[in-house]
Structure formats: C-alpha cells, structure tokens
Amino acid sequence: MALELNNYHAKYFYDPVAESFEQGFWDAVKQKKLVFQRCTECGEWSHPPRPMCHKCKCQDMEWVESSGKGKIYTFVIFTREVHPMYRVPYEVVVVDMEDEKVRFISNMIDTDPDEVYIGMPVEVEFVDINDEWPLPWFRKAK
Amino acid sequence: MTLKNKACIAGIGSTEFTRNSGRSEIHMAVDAALAACEDAGLEPEKIDGMVRFGSAGQTTCEFTTDADVARCLNLPNLNFYSEAPWGGGACCSTILHAAMAVSAGIAKYVLCFRSLKPASGTVRYGRPTAVPVDSHWSYSMPFGFSSPTSWVAAFTNRWMYETGATNDDLGMIALVCRENAVVNPRAIFYRRPITLEDYYKSPMLCTPFRMHDTCLENDGAVAIIVTTPERAKDLKQTPAYITGVGMGMADDSFCMTSFYRDKIGIPEMKYAGKDTFKMAGLTPKDVDVCQFYDAFTSLVPMQMEALGFVEEGEGGAFVRGGDRIRPTGELPINTAGGMLSEAYIHGMNMITEATRQIRGTAITQIPNVEVSMTTGGLGVPTSALILTKG
Ligand SMILES: [Zn+2]
C-alpha cells in the first residue's frame, strides 16, 4: 500500500513555509513542477536551496526544472502512526536525482512497502494533497 | 595552549528517573543542581557560571533557563552563562563550555544541567507536534518524514545496506544496555530483563527500528559541576579530569535531516572524536569504558566506526553476539544501561556514569578504569568527552 492520505485529518498537514531564497522552489511545486537551484556562474546544484552558491559564492542562482528521474538512495517504512494525516504503512524515500546532483525526500505512489529497495529507479508524479498543495511524489520508473 | 586537564568534573547529581515526576522542569533542574552540590561538597551559592541546553535550529524544548536555576539557588551573580545547542549533541559541549570558562578564569564553579519531562509534560519528543514551523522542516514534514526515529532510521538503513550490519546486531545493543540497567536501581528498566526474542517481538515503528531500538521517554534532570583541579582539591570527590573534549558540525548539516551530503550518517562524530582524542593524546585503544550515545541502537556501532574503535563498516560485526561490549569484554559500553534502558536525559546521565567509572563508584564498575569516554547525540552536530584521573 502506498501512502494514503487521511482527509479527515487534512488540517494537520504541515504547510510548507519558505525563506525568500527558497520561494521559487515552492512556487514551482504549486505549478506541479519540480525544480532545483543551479548556480549561473559555476553550474553547482543546491537542494534544499541556499541564498548563494556554496561553491563559488555567486548569488545569481536559477531554477531549473528536473527530469524527475532518480534512484532510491535510502528509505524507511512507517509502520506505526505518528501523525494522524498519514495512514501506515507508508514509505518515505530519499531519492538521488539522476540529472541534477541533488537528493530529494518524498513518498511513493502505487508501491507496496515490500517492493521498495535501495537503488530502485523512480520518477516524479505530482499528487494533490489538499485544495492548496500538490506535492512531488515518486512512482516506479516505467 | 590546550584545555587538557585544565578542568575537572567535581560534582554530579540527578533526580530520580521516572515516567511521571509530578513536578516541573525547573523544580527537577534545581533538585539535580542541589544533588550535584551535595556530591561535590560545594555551597550552592558558590556557583558563578552556568551552561544550559540551547535550542538553535532544533526542537530541543529546553524550558528551564539559567536565571530560573540561579533564582532558586539564590546565586548572587553569574559571571558566565552560555548555551550548548543541538539537543543531545550538546551534552559534552556543555562540559567544553564550562571547562573553557573555569580554565580561563571567567568563572570558578560552573553548573551544567539538563532537565526534561517528555513523559508527563506538554511536549513529547519524537512527535511531529514538537517540530516548529520553520522552512528547514518543509522538505521533510509535509512528506510524513516526521520523527527522530524515522530520520535516524533512514541513515541506519543505508548504513546496514553498505556494511551488512544486521537486525541481530541492533538487538544486541538493546540487550547489553538492558543487562546493565537490570542491576542499576536508578534505571527505569531496573530488574526488567529482555531476550532477543522480546526484542523481535517489540512493535516495528519505522524500519529498521522496533520499539526496543529506541530510547526511553522519561522525566528527570542531571546536573554536573565543573571547576579547576586546584579548586577541586578543597571539595569532596576524586576529580574526573577533562582530558579531551570536542565538538563537531560536519558538511551540509541540515537539522536532523542531513540527507543531502554525499555520504549520509554521522560524520559529526568523526570530527568531535578526532579533536577529543587529539587533545587527550590518546587513541580508541586506550579507552577502558565508553558510554556511547544510544538514543537508537544503531548509533552505537556507527559511532565505533566514526571514532575509530573499529574500521569503517566493522561496527556491526564488532557488537555481534555482544561479548566484546559487555562489562567483561574488551570495550564495555553503557554500563548504567544507557538511554535505551537507564534514562534519556540527553546524554547528561551518560556523563555522570563516565564520571563514576573514573571515581570507581559505578554499580557496574569496570576494574582499573584510567580512561572513561562518553559521546553526544547523533543526526545533529555533536560532542565527545574523555575523562581520566589526570
Ligand atoms: Zn557557483
């Protein structure tokens, strides 16, 4: 079973908040686009976003849409409820993004806990969490 | 210029460890402080410095201020007050702050304390409600990645994948800590043994962690008095010299979800340990007994690797079967039961046990201890401490 939202408890959703330098990430999420931050000077990727490039200290960062492809770097299966919004069991995956040098934390769609393994190829798909927020989740790569 | 042996632990005190203290954090903090003064043979009014746990970027939930404690103890003036942040990672940092203050002559007697009541108070660690609204958490909380258990489980899973450490190995940490707690009347799990079968029967919380992989949730407070060796001569106890102490914050640190660095895990302990051993002029081979921060079982073998007690990837194999880490083994660990089985006071109770091992007054006393080590919390910036007889 994949993560199943318990709509009765949707009010407990942790609404993402952003500093000014990360607003672009969440603005894109609302438009169902997964973007990552890249330095216009040296090309270094950054996630979660920073106000400047940690490598060359350039402050001119751009948002680049991700291919959405990656592999699971590590994962956990929640088997005991800690949050009323999320019905167990559900998977949290840490994904190594294939085309951008970043990792991303997310959930799985249409995947049994038994199926998840380190190295598993996955691809992004947006899911409407509530009226306001879609979130980038992942499914088994086609 | 080195801090080595310029300061010592002269007094330790704690409240009882319980599921329901029936009193406030402030009250417990002061009770522990008075117990530490009594242990040291120091008039409370002589305390002129204090280090508390801070809350930088973390859900430390430290509500007792230095001023609260000073007011209750009727301290005329504090010359030094500071905070060590990052939850359990702070425990040995408090000792570092205190040692710097007394060795530099800023203060004479510094009280380090931690009081907490997650068992019966309003804030329970490990629950999403304890996480503040803060942009750092926006990359994990909306995805239900919402508990310290799950954050440590995620890097533990990767570590097990890379090293071949097994669930049996994790279970052995739970067992050995419990064996040590069973004979310790202070321990929450005093006289309550478990078997490996019990370990496997405890409910799975978040893979690979079962209930018995996670630390206690309890009320209690611990206080520790740090002074110079010269001043300690006029006090009651054999001083435990602060021979090595260090702090570490590794690359790309991101609250408790530092999953963006190349190799996830506990690099913080590598740095803290390196500084600690360097100051002490000692190596892991010299350590007679170690209290490894054990909020979760896997942290013990992972720290053995990070600190150089074993080669990288060998932590699981080292603890396998448990005999090497039992009191009669080559590296006795968590001799009071650790935070898995004695009490969870963010590592401060581990420092008191490390002190008792130097004094020779521990319940499970390791014979002829010259070098006693203890470590701070993981998944966060952390600290480490080596105590000796000077
Ligand atoms: Zn750059």
Side-chain angles (χ1 to χ4, degrees), chain A residues 39-44 53-58 61:
Chain A
C39 173
T40 58
E41 200 64 45
C42 77
E44 182 78 0
C53 172
H54 57 288
K55 202 169 168 192
C56 76
K57 318 302 183 269
C58 162
M61 306 291 279

Side-chain angles (χ1 to χ4, degrees), chain B residues 121-141:
Chain B
T122 50
V123 178
R124 295 184 66 182
Y125 302 113
R127 301 304 155 114
T129 46
V131 175
V133 176
D134 167 333
S135 76
H136 294 93
W137 300 104
S138 297
Y139 301 95
S140 50
M141 289 294 289

Side-chain angles (χ1 to χ4, degrees), chain B residues 65-361:
Chain B
T65 71
D66 37 23
D68 290 328
V69 175
R71 180 171 172 262
C72 293
L73 298 180
N74 196 32
L75 305 185
N77 177 38
L78 285 188
N79 301 310
F80 176 77
Y81 38 90
S82 76
E83 296 184 358
W86 299 107
C91 60
C92 303
S93 309
T94 66
I95 305 300
L96 186 149
H97 286 213
M100 288 196 298
V102 298
S103 65
I106 306 293
K108 295 184 179 72
Y109 304 95
V110 176
L111 178 80
C112 306
F113 71 92
R114 179 73 172 118
S115 180
L116 73 184
K117 55 179 294 181
S120 71
T122 50
V123 178
R124 295 184 66 182
Y125 302 113
R127 301 304 155 114
T129 46
V131 175
V133 176
D134 167 333
S135 76
H136 294 93
W137 300 104
S138 297
Y139 301 95
S140 50
M141 289 294 289
F143 302 93
F145 197 28
S146 53
S147 64
T149 305
S150 66
W151 304 325
V152 176
F155 67 70
T156 294
N157 192 27
R158 181 76 198 185
W159 171 75
M160 291 173 81
Y161 168 80
E162 286 177 359
T163 67
T166 65
N167 285 106
D168 271 11
D169 301 338
L170 302 190
M172 203 46 69
I173 300 298
L175 249 62
V176 170
C177 286
R178 184 61 67 93
E179 287 166 10
N180 292 340
V182 161
V183 295
N184 170 10
R186 283 186 313 272
I188 300 253
F189 284 135
Y190 177 51
R191 290 180 175 162
R192 287 173 63 187
I194 53 167
T195 62
L196 198 57
E197 197 187 347
D198 295 329
Y199 167 80
Y200 277 113
K201 274 196 285 191
S202 75
M204 186 67 89
L205 305 181
C206 184
T207 58
F209 286 152
R210 294 172 168 79
M211 185 75 87
H212 282 320
D213 287 301
T214 68
C215 65
L216 282 152
E217 193 173 46
N218 50 254
D219 296 357
V222 168
I224 296 167
I225 292 169
V226 173
T227 190
T228 58
E230 295 70 34
R231 290 195 180 89
K233 280 181 196 148
D234 299 327
L235 300 174
K236 250 165 56 183
Q237 303 290 348
T238 307
Y241 281 73
I242 297 160
T243 302
V245 63
M247 293 163 64
M249 181 186 292
D251 68 300
D252 209 349
S253 195
F254 201 77
C255 296
M256 269 195 87
T257 52
S258 299
F259 296 112
Y260 307 101
R261 48 175 64 139
D262 283 347
K263 188 169 158 45
I264 64 172
I266 56 167
E268 294 82 3
M269 189 51 81
K270 249 181 217 174
Y271 292 111
K274 204 174 155 203
D275 288 355
T276 302
F277 281 117
K278 190 179 168 203
M279 184 190 294
L282 297 169
T283 71
K285 284 192 173 55
D286 299 310
V287 175
D288 297 311
V289 54
C290 187
Q291 316 297 320
F292 289 100
Y293 197 97
D294 59 344
F296 301 96
T297 50
S298 62
L299 296 176
V300 175
M302 290 186 77
Q303 287 179 87
M304 289 173 176
E305 295 178 14
L307 290 165
F309 282 95
V310 299
E311 294 294 316
E312 206 138 302
E314 296 297 320
F318 185 83
V319 305
R320 205 155 293 158
D323 284 344
R324 289 195 185 91
I325 55 173
R326 289 190 163 101
T328 49
E330 60 195 87
L331 179 61
I333 68 157
N334 305 12
T335 42
M339 288 183 293
L340 289 164
S341 280
E342 185 193 40
Y344 177 69
I345 313 288
H346 262 162
M348 294 297 270
N349 51 318
M350 313 284 271
I351 300 177
T352 65
E353 175 66 6
T355 304
R356 284 188 290 266
Q357 289 290 347
I358 287 295
R359 292 179 180 178
T361 58

